[in-house]
Amino acid sequence: QADGMPSWRPDLTKLPPQRPANASMEQLLEHVPIGGHAWLAFGNAGVSEMLSNWVQHVLSLGMGWQFVVAAFDVPLLIALHERRIPAYNYSGALPATHFRHAPYLFHRMGFLKAELITHVLRPGRHALVSDSDVAWVGSPLPVLDELLARGATLATSTDCLDVQSDADKTVRPRSAYMCGHNPGNTASGDVVFNT
């Protein structure tokens, strides 16, 4: 907030025409062709600054007509709608505060996230889903297209922030912190695939 995020507004020339607050996913993604990639983020008012940052980075990549933010509460839905950011109304499902401390709410968010993805996949689009704390500095679409060409239907990610360890796929019993996806890793608590 000290950096002025509450007053940030997107460049409206990079966004599609605004849809109503109760727009369906199909309406919100009408500019994403079947077989195309829809960029998705989600959250509640507790992560609104991070979502604004996410939107700004997606816009800077020229993907303003290909994304939707799912709003889990009314305050975020209103904030997104005021900024003309394409928003899917999931309000009422989760509280407007940080809920990571409550496992049942965190599990509910996981279910809603999966349900959101099905709204994109069923018509035949691909879903690129990222958390609100992601800052896209480059497009991952070439990597996704390569995976699709190889027959992949699902790509996973980790919370590994160690580039060297993430790239090293040699079998070893212990991995760098948060990089537990390495082959042969037997250290307890190191398996950290990101939902």
Side-chain angles (χ1 to χ4, degrees):
Q1 289 180 344
D3 289 334
M5 285 305 290
S7 62
W8 173 83
R9 297 292 182 270
D11 179 349
L12 298 182
T13 64
K14 296 182 178 184
L15 291 169
Q18 187 170 41
R19 296 291 174 237
N22 63 348
S24 68
M25 186 61 75
E26 195 59 31
Q27 288 174 295
L28 293 166
L29 294 177
E30 66 183 330
H31 301 287
V32 179
I34 300 303
H37 299 279
W39 297 53
L40 303 175
F42 52 89
N44 63 7
V47 295
S48 57
E49 287 91 357
M50 287 191 293
L51 282 169
S52 293
N53 189 56
W54 184 90
V55 169
Q56 176 59 30
H57 281 82
V58 171
L59 290 177
S60 71
L61 295 175
M63 299 296 168
W65 290 56
Q66 286 86 20
F67 81 90
V68 170
V69 175
F72 288 140
D73 60 31
V74 172
L76 178 62
L77 181 66
I78 291 170
L80 293 171
H81 204 68
E82 285 175 350
R83 290 168 176 82
R84 236 184 68 197
I85 295 169
Y88 186 74
N89 186 355
Y90 251 0
S91 64
L94 293 166
T97 58
H98 185 68
F99 51 78
R100 186 99 190 225
H101 66 284
Y104 74 98
L105 291 174
F106 195 69
H107 293 155
R108 184 182 300 170
M109 182 204 62
F111 170 81
L112 293 169
K113 189 162 97 171
E115 185 180 58
L116 173 71
I117 294 167
T118 65
H119 291 309
V120 176
L121 297 178
R122 281 195 181 121
R125 295 178 181 92
H126 301 294
L128 171 60
V129 185
S130 55
D131 289 345
S132 58
D133 59 353
V134 169
W136 289 109
V137 294
S139 175
L141 295 184
V143 172
L144 293 177
D145 287 336
E146 181 183 334
L147 291 170
L148 288 168
R150 292 182 184 187
T153 57
L154 176 70
T156 60
S157 67
T158 69
D159 281 336
C160 180
L161 297 178
D162 184 317
V163 174
Q164 200 169 20
S165 182
D166 198 35
D168 179 4
K169 300 298 182 221
T170 57
V171 176
R172 58 191 186 276
R174 186 150 194 90
S175 303
Y177 178 66
M178 298 297 279
C179 300
H181 58 288
N182 291 305
N185 178 26
T186 57
S188 114
D190 278 355
V191 182
V192 289
F193 278 120
N194 192 327
T195 59

